[in-house]
Amino acid sequence: MRRRDIFALGTLALAGTAATAASASDAPSGGGAQTLNIAGVGLPIIAGGRIRNYVFVTIRLTLGAHATPEQMRAKEPYFRDALVRAAHRTPFVLADDWTQVDAPAVCAMLMRVAPSISGAGSIASAEVALQAPRRRTGVRAS
């Protein structure tokens, strides 16, 4: 198999597991806060004007009191778009590691755009639940 085919198969497998994870986590869990997972978003790691790596992240959004997973699932493409656009504009790069994104910066950006996407109070918090780098190496040498 060619390298491009292997990458495509890996992406499809990741998307399949992401859909399963998203549907499994949206159900209310014993009276706790409802969550929505946004899985398989590929964020570029850009340093020195070049793409050095991609990190596929799963974001867990904790929904506000009046938001339902069904309502927020319809907004998921807008959150994905905002996340990818922001990552290309101002990459979420750690200075010493190209295999992870800056999780606090990703969460802060999502919380800034959430009111304009889904309404005020619809998202209580955001967290990066999982990070999977395309390349496992990439600690930047000084």
Side-chain angles (χ1 to χ4, degrees):
M1 278 186 152
R2 291 184 301 191
R3 184 177 182 183
R4 179 177 50 197
D5 296 335
I6 292 171
F7 183 67
L9 285 174
T11 304
L12 287 174
L14 183 63
T17 58
T20 304
S23 63
S25 70
D26 292 343
S29 56
Q34 294 182 343
T35 61
L36 175 70
N37 283 353
I38 301 175
V41 181
L43 301 179
I45 302 297
I46 301 171
R50 296 180 57 202
I51 294 179
R52 304 296 180 164
N53 200 0
Y54 281 94
V55 177
F56 296 90
V57 297
T58 298
I59 307 292
R60 181 176 299 123
L61 299 176
T62 303
L63 304 182
H66 301 291
T68 65
E70 293 79 25
Q71 292 171 332
M72 292 298 108
R73 207 172 289 120
K75 303 291 184 180
E76 182 180 349
Y78 299 103
F79 282 108
R80 286 176 177 275
D81 181 61
L83 188 56
V84 171
R85 286 177 187 260
H88 280 276
R89 219 178 10 254
T90 308
F92 303 113
V93 179
L94 295 174
D96 59 346
D97 191 357
W98 291 343
T99 62
Q100 294 184 5
V101 296
D102 185 2
V106 170
C107 296
M109 187 284 305
L110 281 171
M111 292 306 294
R112 275 193 312 272
V113 300
S116 64
I117 293 174
S118 59
S122 61
I123 303 297
S125 66
E127 69 174 304
V128 176
L130 179 69
Q131 297 187 38
R134 179 176 174 215
R135 291 188 194 139
R136 302 285 180 201
T137 61
V139 177
R140 184 175 145 187
S142 296

